[in-house]
mmCIF file with all atom_site columns, all heavy atoms in Angstrom:
data_model
loop_
_atom_site.group_PDB
_atom_site.id
_atom_site.type_symbol
_atom_site.label_atom_id
_atom_site.label_alt_id
_atom_site.label_comp_id
_atom_site.label_asym_id
_atom_site.label_entity_id
_atom_site.label_seq_id
_atom_site.pdbx_PDB_ins_code
_atom_site.Cartn_x
_atom_site.Cartn_y
_atom_site.Cartn_z
_atom_site.occupancy
_atom_site.B_iso_or_equiv
_atom_site.pdbx_formal_charge
_atom_site.auth_seq_id
_atom_site.auth_comp_id
_atom_site.auth_asym_id
_atom_site.auth_atom_id
_atom_site.pdbx_PDB_model_num
ATOM 1   N N   . GLY A 1 210 ? 1.470  14.953 -15.092 1.00 87.00 ? 210 GLY A N   1
ATOM 2   C CA  . GLY A 1 210 ? 0.685  14.918 -16.318 1.00 87.00 ? 210 GLY A CA  1
ATOM 3   C C   . GLY A 1 210 ? 1.523  15.137 -17.534 1.00 87.00 ? 210 GLY A C   1
ATOM 4   O O   . GLY A 1 210 ? 2.756  15.238 -17.489 1.00 87.00 ? 210 GLY A O   1
ATOM 5   N N   . GLY A 1 211 ? 0.798  15.217 -18.660 1.00 83.00 ? 211 GLY A N   1
ATOM 6   C CA  . GLY A 1 211 ? 1.472  15.409 -19.933 1.00 83.00 ? 211 GLY A CA  1
ATOM 7   C C   . GLY A 1 211 ? 1.804  16.894 -20.127 1.00 83.00 ? 211 GLY A C   1
ATOM 8   O O   . GLY A 1 211 ? 1.617  17.683 -19.245 1.00 83.00 ? 211 GLY A O   1
ATOM 9   N N   . PRO A 1 212 ? 2.318  17.202 -21.305 1.00 82.00 ? 212 PRO A N   1
ATOM 10  C CA  . PRO A 1 212 ? 2.752  18.593 -21.566 1.00 82.00 ? 212 PRO A CA  1
ATOM 11  C C   . PRO A 1 212 ? 1.673  19.624 -21.294 1.00 82.00 ? 212 PRO A C   1
ATOM 12  O O   . PRO A 1 212 ? 1.940  20.683 -20.766 1.00 82.00 ? 212 PRO A O   1
ATOM 13  C CB  . PRO A 1 212 ? 3.163  18.565 -23.051 1.00 82.00 ? 212 PRO A CB  1
ATOM 14  C CG  . PRO A 1 212 ? 3.463  17.128 -23.334 1.00 82.00 ? 212 PRO A CG  1
ATOM 15  C CD  . PRO A 1 212 ? 2.576  16.302 -22.471 1.00 82.00 ? 212 PRO A CD  1
ATOM 16  N N   . ALA A 1 213 ? 0.385  19.310 -21.639 1.00 84.00 ? 213 ALA A N   1
ATOM 17  C CA  . ALA A 1 213 ? -0.676 20.290 -21.486 1.00 84.00 ? 213 ALA A CA  1
ATOM 18  C C   . ALA A 1 213 ? -0.902 20.621 -20.012 1.00 84.00 ? 213 ALA A C   1
ATOM 19  O O   . ALA A 1 213 ? -0.973 21.771 -19.616 1.00 84.00 ? 213 ALA A O   1
ATOM 20  C CB  . ALA A 1 213 ? -1.982 19.794 -22.113 1.00 84.00 ? 213 ALA A CB  1
ATOM 21  N N   . ALA A 1 214 ? -0.962 19.583 -19.171 1.00 82.00 ? 214 ALA A N   1
ATOM 22  C CA  . ALA A 1 214 ? -1.220 19.798 -17.756 1.00 82.00 ? 214 ALA A CA  1
ATOM 23  C C   . ALA A 1 214 ? -0.026 20.547 -17.145 1.00 82.00 ? 214 ALA A C   1
ATOM 24  O O   . ALA A 1 214 ? -0.210 21.446 -16.308 1.00 82.00 ? 214 ALA A O   1
ATOM 25  C CB  . ALA A 1 214 ? -1.397 18.431 -17.054 1.00 82.00 ? 214 ALA A CB  1
ATOM 26  N N   . VAL A 1 215 ? 1.139  20.167 -17.558 1.00 85.00 ? 215 VAL A N   1
ATOM 27  C CA  . VAL A 1 215 ? 2.352  20.815 -17.009 1.00 85.00 ? 215 VAL A CA  1
ATOM 28  C C   . VAL A 1 215 ? 2.403  22.283 -17.410 1.00 85.00 ? 215 VAL A C   1
ATOM 29  O O   . VAL A 1 215 ? 2.703  23.167 -16.584 1.00 85.00 ? 215 VAL A O   1
ATOM 30  C CB  . VAL A 1 215 ? 3.599  20.053 -17.424 1.00 85.00 ? 215 VAL A CB  1
ATOM 31  C CG1 . VAL A 1 215 ? 4.834  20.802 -17.112 1.00 85.00 ? 215 VAL A CG1 1
ATOM 32  C CG2 . VAL A 1 215 ? 3.617  18.707 -16.705 1.00 85.00 ? 215 VAL A CG2 1
ATOM 33  N N   . ASN A 1 216 ? 2.123  22.565 -18.696 1.00 88.00 ? 216 ASN A N   1
ATOM 34  C CA  . ASN A 1 216 ? 2.194  23.961 -19.152 1.00 88.00 ? 216 ASN A CA  1
ATOM 35  C C   . ASN A 1 216 ? 1.172  24.838 -18.402 1.00 88.00 ? 216 ASN A C   1
ATOM 36  O O   . ASN A 1 216 ? 1.392  25.986 -18.087 1.00 88.00 ? 216 ASN A O   1
ATOM 37  C CB  . ASN A 1 216 ? 1.951  24.062 -20.638 1.00 88.00 ? 216 ASN A CB  1
ATOM 38  C CG  . ASN A 1 216 ? 3.159  23.520 -21.412 1.00 88.00 ? 216 ASN A CG  1
ATOM 39  O OD1 . ASN A 1 216 ? 4.246  23.480 -20.866 1.00 88.00 ? 216 ASN A OD1 1
ATOM 40  N ND2 . ASN A 1 216 ? 2.925  23.130 -22.639 1.00 88.00 ? 216 ASN A ND2 1
ATOM 41  N N   . ARG A 1 217 ? -0.003 24.225 -18.147 1.00 89.00 ? 217 ARG A N   1
ATOM 42  C CA  . ARG A 1 217 ? -1.092 24.994 -17.489 1.00 89.00 ? 217 ARG A CA  1
ATOM 43  C C   . ARG A 1 217 ? -0.610 25.530 -16.126 1.00 89.00 ? 217 ARG A C   1
ATOM 44  O O   . ARG A 1 217 ? -1.008 26.565 -15.710 1.00 89.00 ? 217 ARG A O   1
ATOM 45  C CB  . ARG A 1 217 ? -2.273 24.055 -17.350 1.00 89.00 ? 217 ARG A CB  1
ATOM 46  C CG  . ARG A 1 217 ? -3.315 24.411 -16.284 1.00 89.00 ? 217 ARG A CG  1
ATOM 47  C CD  . ARG A 1 217 ? -4.368 25.342 -16.867 1.00 89.00 ? 217 ARG A CD  1
ATOM 48  N NE  . ARG A 1 217 ? -5.396 25.621 -15.920 1.00 89.00 ? 217 ARG A NE  1
ATOM 49  C CZ  . ARG A 1 217 ? -5.296 26.444 -14.880 1.00 89.00 ? 217 ARG A CZ  1
ATOM 50  N NH1 . ARG A 1 217 ? -4.185 27.130 -14.714 1.00 89.00 ? 217 ARG A NH1 1
ATOM 51  N NH2 . ARG A 1 217 ? -6.266 26.673 -14.065 1.00 89.00 ? 217 ARG A NH2 1
ATOM 52  N N   . TRP A 1 218 ? 0.245  24.752 -15.431 1.00 91.00 ? 218 TRP A N   1
ATOM 53  C CA  . TRP A 1 218 ? 0.613  25.134 -14.065 1.00 91.00 ? 218 TRP A CA  1
ATOM 54  C C   . TRP A 1 218 ? 2.087  25.537 -13.971 1.00 91.00 ? 218 TRP A C   1
ATOM 55  O O   . TRP A 1 218 ? 2.586  25.808 -12.833 1.00 91.00 ? 218 TRP A O   1
ATOM 56  C CB  . TRP A 1 218 ? 0.346  23.952 -13.115 1.00 91.00 ? 218 TRP A CB  1
ATOM 57  C CG  . TRP A 1 218 ? -1.093 23.660 -13.009 1.00 91.00 ? 218 TRP A CG  1
ATOM 58  C CD1 . TRP A 1 218 ? -1.776 22.681 -13.654 1.00 91.00 ? 218 TRP A CD1 1
ATOM 59  C CD2 . TRP A 1 218 ? -2.087 24.373 -12.256 1.00 91.00 ? 218 TRP A CD2 1
ATOM 60  N NE1 . TRP A 1 218 ? -3.116 22.755 -13.330 1.00 91.00 ? 218 TRP A NE1 1
ATOM 61  C CE2 . TRP A 1 218 ? -3.329 23.731 -12.461 1.00 91.00 ? 218 TRP A CE2 1
ATOM 62  C CE3 . TRP A 1 218 ? -2.030 25.453 -11.329 1.00 91.00 ? 218 TRP A CE3 1
ATOM 63  C CZ2 . TRP A 1 218 ? -4.528 24.167 -11.883 1.00 91.00 ? 218 TRP A CZ2 1
ATOM 64  C CZ3 . TRP A 1 218 ? -3.220 25.899 -10.758 1.00 91.00 ? 218 TRP A CZ3 1
ATOM 65  C CH2 . TRP A 1 218 ? -4.437 25.238 -10.991 1.00 91.00 ? 218 TRP A CH2 1
ATOM 66  N N   . ALA A 1 219 ? 2.801  25.555 -15.078 1.00 87.00 ? 219 ALA A N   1
ATOM 67  C CA  . ALA A 1 219 ? 4.273  25.719 -15.037 1.00 87.00 ? 219 ALA A CA  1
ATOM 68  C C   . ALA A 1 219 ? 4.680  27.016 -14.311 1.00 87.00 ? 219 ALA A C   1
ATOM 69  O O   . ALA A 1 219 ? 5.684  27.010 -13.563 1.00 87.00 ? 219 ALA A O   1
ATOM 70  C CB  . ALA A 1 219 ? 4.798  25.747 -16.455 1.00 87.00 ? 219 ALA A CB  1
ATOM 71  N N   . ASP A 1 220 ? 3.925  28.089 -14.471 1.00 89.00 ? 220 ASP A N   1
ATOM 72  C CA  . ASP A 1 220 ? 4.340  29.363 -13.851 1.00 89.00 ? 220 ASP A CA  1
ATOM 73  C C   . ASP A 1 220 ? 3.619  29.662 -12.572 1.00 89.00 ? 220 ASP A C   1
ATOM 74  O O   . ASP A 1 220 ? 3.663  30.783 -12.069 1.00 89.00 ? 220 ASP A O   1
ATOM 75  C CB  . ASP A 1 220 ? 4.119  30.492 -14.843 1.00 89.00 ? 220 ASP A CB  1
ATOM 76  C CG  . ASP A 1 220 ? 4.996  30.292 -16.076 1.00 89.00 ? 220 ASP A CG  1
ATOM 77  O OD1 . ASP A 1 220 ? 6.127  29.852 -15.913 1.00 89.00 ? 220 ASP A OD1 1
ATOM 78  O OD2 . ASP A 1 220 ? 4.513  30.550 -17.219 1.00 89.00 ? 220 ASP A OD2 1
ATOM 79  N N   . HIS A 1 221 ? 2.906  28.677 -12.057 1.00 91.00 ? 221 HIS A N   1
ATOM 80  C CA  . HIS A 1 221 ? 2.187  28.904 -10.808 1.00 91.00 ? 221 HIS A CA  1
ATOM 81  C C   . HIS A 1 221 ? 3.130  28.716 -9.615  1.00 91.00 ? 221 HIS A C   1
ATOM 82  O O   . HIS A 1 221 ? 3.722  27.665 -9.472  1.00 91.00 ? 221 HIS A O   1
ATOM 83  C CB  . HIS A 1 221 ? 1.012  27.894 -10.731 1.00 91.00 ? 221 HIS A CB  1
ATOM 84  C CG  . HIS A 1 221 ? -0.046 28.287 -9.772  1.00 91.00 ? 221 HIS A CG  1
ATOM 85  N ND1 . HIS A 1 221 ? 0.141  28.330 -8.433  1.00 91.00 ? 221 HIS A ND1 1
ATOM 86  C CD2 . HIS A 1 221 ? -1.348 28.652 -9.997  1.00 91.00 ? 221 HIS A CD2 1
ATOM 87  C CE1 . HIS A 1 221 ? -0.982 28.741 -7.840  1.00 91.00 ? 221 HIS A CE1 1
ATOM 88  N NE2 . HIS A 1 221 ? -1.874 28.930 -8.740  1.00 91.00 ? 221 HIS A NE2 1
ATOM 89  N N   . PRO A 1 222 ? 3.286  29.725 -8.781  1.00 91.00 ? 222 PRO A N   1
ATOM 90  C CA  . PRO A 1 222 ? 4.327  29.641 -7.724  1.00 91.00 ? 222 PRO A CA  1
ATOM 91  C C   . PRO A 1 222 ? 4.021  28.588 -6.660  1.00 91.00 ? 222 PRO A C   1
ATOM 92  O O   . PRO A 1 222 ? 4.947  28.155 -5.969  1.00 91.00 ? 222 PRO A O   1
ATOM 93  C CB  . PRO A 1 222 ? 4.319  31.073 -7.139  1.00 91.00 ? 222 PRO A CB  1
ATOM 94  C CG  . PRO A 1 222 ? 2.998  31.614 -7.475  1.00 91.00 ? 222 PRO A CG  1
ATOM 95  C CD  . PRO A 1 222 ? 2.575  31.008 -8.787  1.00 91.00 ? 222 PRO A CD  1
ATOM 96  N N   . ARG A 1 223 ? 2.792  28.153 -6.518  1.00 94.00 ? 223 ARG A N   1
ATOM 97  C CA  . ARG A 1 223 ? 2.501  27.198 -5.436  1.00 94.00 ? 223 ARG A CA  1
ATOM 98  C C   . ARG A 1 223 ? 2.284  25.767 -5.952  1.00 94.00 ? 223 ARG A C   1
ATOM 99  O O   . ARG A 1 223 ? 1.916  24.911 -5.174  1.00 94.00 ? 223 ARG A O   1
ATOM 100 C CB  . ARG A 1 223 ? 1.248  27.675 -4.707  1.00 94.00 ? 223 ARG A CB  1
ATOM 101 C CG  . ARG A 1 223 ? 1.458  28.966 -3.890  1.00 94.00 ? 223 ARG A CG  1
ATOM 102 C CD  . ARG A 1 223 ? 0.204  29.373 -3.139  1.00 94.00 ? 223 ARG A CD  1
ATOM 103 N NE  . ARG A 1 223 ? -0.843 29.766 -4.065  1.00 94.00 ? 223 ARG A NE  1
ATOM 104 C CZ  . ARG A 1 223 ? -1.933 29.054 -4.341  1.00 94.00 ? 223 ARG A CZ  1
ATOM 105 N NH1 . ARG A 1 223 ? -2.080 27.871 -3.795  1.00 94.00 ? 223 ARG A NH1 1
ATOM 106 N NH2 . ARG A 1 223 ? -2.827 29.492 -5.203  1.00 94.00 ? 223 ARG A NH2 1
ATOM 107 N N   . VAL A 1 224 ? 2.402  25.601 -7.276  1.00 95.00 ? 224 VAL A N   1
ATOM 108 C CA  . VAL A 1 224 ? 2.170  24.294 -7.838  1.00 95.00 ? 224 VAL A CA  1
ATOM 109 C C   . VAL A 1 224 ? 3.432  23.736 -8.486  1.00 95.00 ? 224 VAL A C   1
ATOM 110 O O   . VAL A 1 224 ? 4.039  24.370 -9.321  1.00 95.00 ? 224 VAL A O   1
ATOM 111 C CB  . VAL A 1 224 ? 1.009  24.331 -8.870  1.00 95.00 ? 224 VAL A CB  1
ATOM 112 C CG1 . VAL A 1 224 ? 0.841  22.999 -9.511  1.00 95.00 ? 224 VAL A CG1 1
ATOM 113 C CG2 . VAL A 1 224 ? -0.275 24.776 -8.219  1.00 95.00 ? 224 VAL A CG2 1
#
Side-chain angles (χ1 to χ4, degrees):
Chain A
V215 167
N216 288 340
R217 160 87 175 78
W218 295 99
D220 296 322
H221 200 292
R223 293 181 292 105
V224 176

